[in-house]
Amino acid sequence: MITFKTTMGDIKIALNFDKAPITAKNFQQYVEDGFYKGTIFHRVIKGFMVQGGGFSSGLEEKETRETIKNEASNGLSNSRGTLAMARTSDPHSASAQFFINLVDNTFLDFKSETEQGWGYCVFGEVVEGMDIVDKMTLVDTGRMGFHDDVPKEEIVVESTLVE
């Protein structure tokens, strides 16, 4: 169990080591290293998802470890409350950034081993604190630099805990 203590409240996350072993281990290692402490949820889109794990206060990008293999073909779906890895257009470019699905986003699921079909790897789920995640969608968002949907009032991960 992993707890993210945020400025809006606590979010408890269960990782799925059976279906996404590489991704779950990668995420847990970032937590154990204290990487997420001080990061912000930098992208909040009501009715879609909230994204974090890559930027500290002021939208300063954090340096990450190597990228990992996309395990999206694991049979897990991007349903409400699940965590998935964020990535670029390269299917195997995920490192530290993740998002929490606010609704069932099945269009993000694995379809085929093609650039368009890879999808986004689900590796965990919120087991407590989904009300906190929902509360994040109530903040005003706007554009900051090259980024859209950035909360005007920062939502900060104050600390993380592995239990």
Side-chain angles (χ1 to χ4, degrees):
M1 190 71 64
I2 290 175
T3 302
F4 272 45
K5 293 189 174 295
T6 77
T7 50
M8 296 191 90
D10 293 358
I11 303 165
K12 287 188 182 274
I13 300 159
L15 301 181
N16 192 325
F17 286 94
D18 291 335
K19 299 260 185 164
I22 295 167
T23 312
K25 185 174 188 260
N26 175 69
F27 186 80
Q28 183 169 323
Q29 189 63 57
Y30 274 113
V31 172
E32 288 173 352
D33 292 346
F35 179 87
Y36 293 122
K37 183 180 179 185
T39 61
I40 58 173
F41 282 89
H42 66 277
R43 191 168 169 226
V44 174
I45 304 174
K46 191 174 189 142
F48 180 38
M49 60 92 208
V50 299
Q51 183 173 338
F55 297 88
S56 56
S57 185
L59 217 55
E60 290 290 319
E61 191 166 5
K62 292 193 74 170
E63 194 166 323
T64 61
R65 296 191 311 269
E66 294 295 311
T67 58
I68 58 171
K69 178 184 183 290
N70 189 334
E71 296 178 296
S73 62
N74 62 18
L76 298 175
S77 182
N78 281 275
S79 55
R80 175 173 162 75
T82 59
L83 274 77
M85 291 305 290
R87 60 173 178 80
T88 66
S89 59
D90 174 355
H92 304 287
S93 61
S95 57
Q97 289 191 41
F98 63 93
F99 59 92
I100 303 171
N101 288 291
L102 296 169
V103 296
D104 292 348
N105 290 314
T106 55
F107 69 95
L108 298 176
D109 292 350
F110 176 84
K111 311 266 184 309
S112 64
E113 289 188 10
T114 63
E115 195 169 310
Q116 292 78 25
W118 261 107
Y120 293 79
C121 177
V122 172
F123 64 93
E125 68 179 315
V126 174
V127 293
E128 201 176 301
M130 199 58 198
D131 58 323
I132 302 302
V133 179
D134 287 334
K135 201 162 66 169
M136 291 179 185
T137 68
L138 302 177
V139 302
D140 286 333
T141 60
R143 186 163 180 81
M144 187 173 178
F146 296 109
H147 301 275
D148 288 319
D149 308 303
V150 178
K152 292 183 177 178
E153 185 179 322
E154 289 186 341
I155 303 168
V156 182
V157 176
E158 296 173 320
S159 65
T160 57
L161 176 69
V162 179
E163 298 175 57

